[in-house]
Each structure stands twice: as C-alpha cells, then as structure tokens.
Amino acid sequence: MALAQKQTQIRIIDALKQLETAHSVSFSYNPKLLENLWVDPMSDFENLKSSLDELSKAAPLRFDNPGSEFYSIIPIRSNVSFEVLDRQTGEAIPVVFAKVGLKDYAYLYPTPVKFELRNAFVTDSIELSSRFYSAQKMTVEDLIESNNQVWLEPDTLYLENVTVMSYTISGINANIEQQSMEIDMSDLGLIAGETDGDILQVLKTIPGIKSPTGKAGALMMRGSTYDQNLMYFDNIPLYHTGHYFGTISPYNQAVVDKVDVHRGSLPAKWSGKVGGLIDIQTKSEIPEKVKGGALANTIYAGGYINSPIVKDKVSLFVSARTNYPEYSSAKMEAYSELNLQGSRVGSIQTGKDNNLDRFDVRFNDLNGKLIYKPNGKNEVTSTLLRISDDFGFTILTPDEDLKETGDSKLFNWGMTTQWTSSLTDQWNTSLSHTYSVFELSQVSVSEQSGNEISNKNAKNSISDNRVSLDMDYKVSEKTDFNFGYSFAQQNVIFDETEVETGMTKDKHTDDEGLTHSAYMSAKRHLGQKFILEGGMHMDHFSVTSELFLDPRFMISCFLTKSFYLKSSAGRSRQYLFRSFLNDFDDFRLGNQFWNLADSNHGVQTGKQYMIGGLFDKSGWLFDLELYIKDTDGLERQVDPRTLETGSLRTIGMDLLLKKRFQAFDLWGSYTLSHAETDFSEIQDAYFDQTHVLNLMLLIPRDRWNLSLAWGLMSGMPVEIPTPRGPGPDQPTTIDTPYDDRFPIQHQLDLSATYQFSKPEAAWKGVVGLSFINLYNKENLINIFQNGVKPDNPYRYGIGFSPNLQLSISW
C-alpha cells in the first residue's frame, strides 16, 4: 500500500471499479478517504473473494456484504503512538497540538514520552505543531513510515498566538498574548457536577471566577458582581443571570463555537461595564450535509439542526430547549430549594402553616443563525436569540380564607446582523447592528374571603440598539493596529403600580442614554521577548454630557519558551447598573431591576491592575496572578427614599497548579482575596471569601470520562439585617451563634460519561451521570436581609443534586 503513485501500482478506486464491472457488484465508500490509496495489481482478478481479501491485506479496509450484489467499504481506524522531537537538540517536546483534516487544533494527551492519535486512518492528513516550533504537515502513513517519530524545526518567530492548551480542562485555553481565556466548545472536557457543557458552569473552573451560591449565572469575577460583567451572545447583551433565577445558562451550548473571557483589564475595544468580559460566539460553519443533535436530562430537553441551503454559500443553524413544566426531578427540587428559600414559597415558609396550591416553573430558549459566505473573504451572519421564563404560585391559608398569588416573567430577545471582510491581506473589518429587548415583571395579588386587598405590579425593561464598526490593520508581522466606533441607544423603563385598601400608588420612569464610543489600540512585538499593547477607549454619555478617556495597557514578556511574565492595567465606565445588595436574593425581582446613570445615579468607574507569571513545561503548569480592582460610584438602597453611594475594592491572588500524567490530569486552583466596601464605613463585602481552594481530577479512558472536584471555601461575613419597621416578618433582633464569619464551606462534585456509539460511527451517543454536593454538605451562606424568619434566618448553598443526561448527535 502507498499514498504516492508507483509505476507498478494502481489506484484502489480504479481496482474497485474494475471489480464492479467484472462481477456486477456495487461498492459504497467515501472517495475522499480512498482517493490517495495505491495498491499492487491483483494476482487473482477473476475471483471476487480472493480480490477483496487481497485488498484487505494491502489497505486497512473491511468489506461488509449486506446484500448479494452490494458491498460497504468500512475504513479500519486505529490508534497511532509517536514521539515528537526537537530537530536541533533531539529532546522530546512535551506539548503537542494536532490538526486532523479540517478540524481545529486539539491538545494530545501524552504518555511519558509518546503521544497518541486516536481513530486515525492512513490517508488522514495531519498537522502537528507546538509553541515555538514550525508546524509540520503529513499523512498518518507518513507518520507510521517515519518509525513513529516527528522532528520539528524551532521557530524563532514564536510570539504570535501563544496559547496554553487545556489550561484547566480540555477546551479551556489560556491566550498569553491577549491575557484571556478561550473556551473551545468543540474540544470541551468533562466538568465535575455537569455533563451538558453549561458554559457558565465551565467558567467556575477558572481561578478568580466563582459563584458563592452555586448558581451557574451568579458569577463574580475577582470581586465584581454579576451586573458589573459584560456578557454578550453574538453581540447581543444579556441583562440577566439565566433560566430559573440564574441556575441554568439561558442558551443552548450546542450552538456555541467559542467563548472569550477576560478576568482583568479589558482590551480597548470593550467598555460599558467595570468588571470582566464573557464574549460568547456561535458557530459559523457551512456544513457539507445536514448536522443535528438532541439532548435530554432530568430538567430540560433540546435539539439543534445545522443545514446547508446553498452548497458552500448559505446555511441555517436552529436550536431550541424547554423544561418539563409538570415534572420535578431531584435536581429541579434542589434548584427550587436553593432559589425559594426565605421566600413565601419556600418549604420553611409554607410548611404546616400554608398550602401551596399552585407552583409553575416554565422556561425555554430559541436560537437561530443564518450564515452567508459569498466568497473566501466575506461573511454575513444574522443571529436571533429568544429567552423566556415564567414562574408562578398560589398560597392558601389552611382555612382558604387568605389567598396570595405571585407571577414573575422574564423575556429577552435580540438580533444581530454582522458583516466581516478581509479587504486585503492587511485590512480586516467588521460592521454590525444589534437590537435587543429585556423585560422583567412581577405581579402580586392578595385576596381575603374572595375580595382583593392588595395588587402590586412592577415592570423593568431595557431596549438596546447599537451599531459598531471595527477595523484591524496589520502593518507587519510585529505591528498591528485596531480601531473602531460604536453607537449605543439604551432606553430603561420602570413602572410600578400598587393598590392596597383602595389606595393607589404609581411610579414611572423612562430614561434614555446615548453613548458614542471610539477606541484605538496598537500591538507591537519588541524583539523576541516582549509583546506590548496599549490603547485608549473614549465614551461620550449623553445623559450627563460627560466625555471619558480610559487608557488600557498590557505587556507580556517571554523569558524562556516555558516561562512568561504578564501585566495589565486599565480603567472603564458603567452606565447601566443594579443597586449593590448585602444578599444573594435573586428571587426578589426588585433586586434585579436596572438603573441608568443620571444626575441622581452617577456613572460607575472601575480600575484594574494585574501582574503575574506562567510556567509551562514537561506536563507541569503553574500560573500566578496578583491583582487590585477598585470600583467607585456604587449605590446601596438604605431605605425606600435613601440611596447611599460607596466603593468596592478587591485585592487578591489567583494560583493554578496542574500536572498532566499518563492516565489523568490533576490540578488545583487557589484564590486568596479580600473584598471590602466603603459606604458610610469600611467593612467586608457580603460575598467576601478569603480562601477558595478547588481540586480536580480528570480521567479519560477511551469511551469513558470521569471528573471529580472538591472545593473548600472560607465562610462569608455575618451580616445582621437592619429592621425596617414592626411586623410579624420583621423581628427587632436576630440572635445568631456565629461571630464575624460563618463556618467553612466545602462540597464534592462528580461526573461520568460513556460514549455508547462506536468511534467510527457517523453519529455520536453519550450518556452522563452527575452529582453536585455529593455528600449533601449544608453550606451556610448568610442571613436573609429581607423578610427574616426568626426560627430560620439563614440562606444555604445548593444541596445534593443528581442529574442523568442523554445526548445524540450526527
């Protein structure tokens, strides 16, 4: 067998055609796999069985005969082990990335001295590369014929796109040049506690990003609260934490291509928030044939389909998910207990005193994307996202004399149309328009003996209309300029009507803000050691008629091929924000309402500084970042008529230590930090945790995957609520045995998956089982700050939460 023609050989496809003619049979096969296979002329051409046996010996093929005149040719794939060596020194290279065919680069898990390429066929084209080395292209047969050794040439121009693959789990990569994290969904590994690749749950594996309550959407980046983080879905801004009060990501992960995450200072392009950045980008491939998939677990079911419309030109990607409204699994009950504790609907509140007559939880999301690629240099896409959540309940007293009804709704939809173009080899541009609407509403009604005694209706909405133009000019291999302009129109409406005992109270605000933004940044490679990027972001905010100039700065220093230093600094502004709270109460929708900066609500200002270093060699990864983050202009509601302005400061250290072994990966992350607020006095922030330690074990085994994680966290500060008046739900004092801080928190999460489809099959089927808080540790978080019950005033983290999932894709 050979991949290159020899004078005495014939193409295997030609041999098959001759057999079809001679024996009146038909062969079914993939011509792309076989087109480069050559074999010696067959010795016994007249005997079909002998000919097929001879071809099977010459090439890794299996001939299946489902019918008397029909044969299916199955390529026999195998695992190939090989070494990768430095051409100059002969030393083994410990970190290798492989690109097979048209697929993206993937990290190869090494044995002590070798790597393994799984499910490979001899004609597969592969490209092997490593940081600081030139890539080498070959076929699998070339690899085998080279005694399973690949020699790479050192590349002195090694500063471009330096990436640490599999930073924590597979698919989470650290971009050294951009000082960011990149999540590649096509290569995402298994997360302990989850099996569906929930992106917001994935982010919690990154040091410095945490969710004190365990909710997927309630993410805090280095002391910044959720509302201080920029979060985009194909440029569509998201103003909520997700489905069912933030417990589930509000979009189907199957449509996502990659996610860019910045924990520290933002690049010059971004502004509008003072925290971090989560930029979610959906898939833009035009497949050769229809692709699709379906997923179902104990909470929701969904599916997607990606279909070509015009070959190589146009395709449509559609996905949808929905929960089971009338079904409550063990995991759904754990989420309900987490969300509703302390509320009128919580088990402690209803208990024996009241009857829960109605309880409805409904959520769904829909995503569509139309992709048009007229040529290799232009692309036009249009993305639609629709998110809907409904929650309702009815409570009756035992004698059914008093009836209380509550309904809340969340609705979010947006549409982005974007054109990207490579005008020349040096010029790249992107022009986009986005329009989105976010609505959050709540209705509460109380009746006694059939007569309405109170009715409260509150609604908060944001319409966001924006246009942006981005330009990139690559002056040379070492110099790059990026600049752009954007215009954003944000309209924030708040309506509240309260009717009680015949008295009506109304409150209405309608605010509009126009923001003109421009930015410019320059990146320069200085010699072979430094990458320097500096920029300026300018905003003009119409409401306050202020002009803001905010500098951004990043520098990376490559001391050796394995050791880097990094630093960044920057300032940003925030014009749309929520009140700062001393509680994690997402069930109270009033805590989720947004305000637009004006003469009564000042613009928030954030400053971030970071310095650190990363070492990556011989399977060891060590990353350390020290940071300071200051935020001014926070607002806290002291009482219904009084706002208090203050600041937030976080000082911390994020550390990651990881070791890649032959059969598994083991890593640990540790965050040492202190977050404090300064309103009328300096005190620890309500979410402050001095120590956060996470340990994770990843074990891939052919079709099996196992992920185990254990977390240990400091207890949060004891915050005694301030009584706001007499009443049965407002005690004058709270007696608690805890002083200063609550007890240490810890929990164990576990996930396991099994791929039940064969590796060579055209479809993929996976079944997964996961457990959050496996030993059901009761982690005390804080004291309820509103409607405190003296007999149980505490909020707890999520309890034992199992989930079973099945997914099929083709």
Side-chain angles (χ1 to χ4, degrees), residues 499-517:
V499 179
E500 188 170 6
T501 61
M503 300 290 292
T504 302
K505 298 179 182 178
D506 289 319
K507 181 180 179 181
H508 174 79
T509 60
D510 189 342
D511 300 316
E512 182 182 74
L514 307 179
T515 307
H516 295 268
S517 303

Side-chain angles (χ1 to χ4, degrees), residues 627-658:
Y627 58 89
I628 298 176
K629 180 182 291 188
D630 289 317
T631 303
D632 297 320
L634 301 179
E635 289 185 353
R636 183 169 66 181
Q637 195 82 39
V638 179
D639 56 54
R641 296 184 178 182
T642 307
L643 282 174
E644 191 176 24
T645 303
S647 62
L648 170 66
R649 160 167 274 215
T650 305
I651 300 176
M653 173 193 78
D654 290 331
L655 171 67
L656 176 77
L657 180 62
K658 179 178 179 180

Side-chain angles (χ1 to χ4, degrees), residues 14-27 45:
D14 293 333
L16 293 172
K17 291 179 179 178
Q18 293 176 15
L19 289 173
E20 286 179 328
T21 303
H23 299 282
S24 299
V25 295
S26 177
F27 294 105
F45 183 78

Side-chain angles (χ1 to χ4, degrees), residues 82 231 321:
F82 58 95
M231 190 168 180
R321 293 188 308 171

Side-chain angles (χ1 to χ4, degrees), residues 605-619:
T605 302
K607 301 175 184 177
Q608 301 191 47
Y609 311 91
M610 184 276 293
I611 187 171
L614 185 146
F615 178 80
D616 183 20
K617 187 175 183 180
S618 301

